[in-house]
């Protein structure tokens, strides 16, 4: 069941587009942010909201790599290994993330905190090697910077947990 605030958000987004179906991807992104992945129910809801068959929404989900049909980690590390990043150590950065987290491409740590993906260009070539974590970009990476970032994310998660009224 989608939250009332998400349904209201859907209406607000759809109103911005002359063609309702143009809102499919933004709706899926907001839905994924709330639910954690693109569930069957989310697909049905988006299809209903924009007035298209569910198969059209499913086709969009299959096209965009940032949309996930299975739950992923709270922090999704997308490491670019395309040309600019590859030339500046992107593959070594991916390997370092993989070793540090103990997971491979499109895998999630057992605690559900981190997912890892090797991706194509994320448009941050000037800062190669680069990666994207959820909506944030990290550039000119080194293994030490990656370690620092992972530690910071773990710490941030721990602080969030301890700030929930315990
Ligand atoms: S090649 Fe890595 S961001 Fe463009």
């Amino acid at each position: 069941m989608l939250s009332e605030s998400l349904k209201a958000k859907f209406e607000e987004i759809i109103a911005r587009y002359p063609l309702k179906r143009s809102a499919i991807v933004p709706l899926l992104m907001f839905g994924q942010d709330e639910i954690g992945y693109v569930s069957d129910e989310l697909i049905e809801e988006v299809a209903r909201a924009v007035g298209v068959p569910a198969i059209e929404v499913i086709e969009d989900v299959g096209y965009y790599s940032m949309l996930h049909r299975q739950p992923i980690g709270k922090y999704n590390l997308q490491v670019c290994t395309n040309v600019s990043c590859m030339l500046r150590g992107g593959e070594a950065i991916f390997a370092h993330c993989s070793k540090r987290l103990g997971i491979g491409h499109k895998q999630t740590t057992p605690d559900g905190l981190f997912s890892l993906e090797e991706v194509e260009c994320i448009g941050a070539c000037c800062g190669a090697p680069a990666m994207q974590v959820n909506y944030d970009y990290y550039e000119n990476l080194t293994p030490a910077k990656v370690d620092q970032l992972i530690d910071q994310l773990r710490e941030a998660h721990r602080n969030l947990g301890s700030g929930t009224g315990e």
Side-chain angles (χ1 to χ4, degrees):
M1 193 69 180
L2 305 187
S3 70
E4 289 306 314
S5 63
L6 185 57
K7 287 180 185 170
K9 187 80 187 169
F10 277 14
E11 284 178 25
E12 177 198 324
I13 293 170
I14 290 168
R16 294 181 198 162
Y17 292 87
L19 282 178
K20 282 186 173 187
R21 70 175 321 281
S22 302
I24 290 175
V25 173
L27 297 185
L28 289 169
M29 293 294 289
F30 277 105
Q32 178 173 262
D33 283 347
E34 177 168 298
I35 299 166
Y37 68 108
V38 179
S39 64
D40 291 343
E41 184 195 4
L42 177 59
I43 287 173
E44 292 292 337
E45 193 63 36
V46 168
R48 191 200 54 72
V50 302
V52 300
I55 187 66
E56 282 193 37
V57 179
I58 292 170
E59 284 169 357
D60 284 347
V61 174
Y63 183 79
Y64 292 101
S65 61
M66 73 280 197
L67 296 169
H68 304 277
R69 288 290 275 137
Q70 302 293 328
I72 58 169
K74 179 178 172 66
Y75 302 109
N76 188 32
L77 278 60
Q78 297 177 284
V79 182
C80 175
T81 56
N82 216 177
V83 179
S84 300
C85 289
M86 180 189 68
L87 292 173
R88 291 178 49 88
E91 289 177 336
I93 293 297
F94 178 81
H96 184 78
C97 290
S98 180
K99 188 174 174 194
R100 171 75 198 265
L101 297 172
I103 53 174
H105 175 59
K106 288 195 179 282
Q107 292 183 342
T108 300
T109 54
D111 61 3
L113 202 51
F114 296 102
S115 293
L116 178 64
E117 282 183 77
E118 183 176 4
V119 297
E120 301 297 330
C121 182
I122 55 175
C125 312
C126 291
M131 77 172 165
Q132 190 176 348
V133 181
N134 299 353
Y135 293 109
D136 296 322
Y137 282 75
Y138 298 88
E139 301 177 1
N140 299 303
L141 294 170
T142 63
K145 283 185 181 176
V146 167
D147 285 344
Q148 193 180 17
L149 175 62
I150 290 172
D151 289 343
Q152 283 171 352
L153 294 173
R154 266 194 214 289
E155 184 63 24
H157 178 71
R158 219 173 281 132
N159 291 339
L160 277 178
S162 63
T164 55
E166 292 166 51

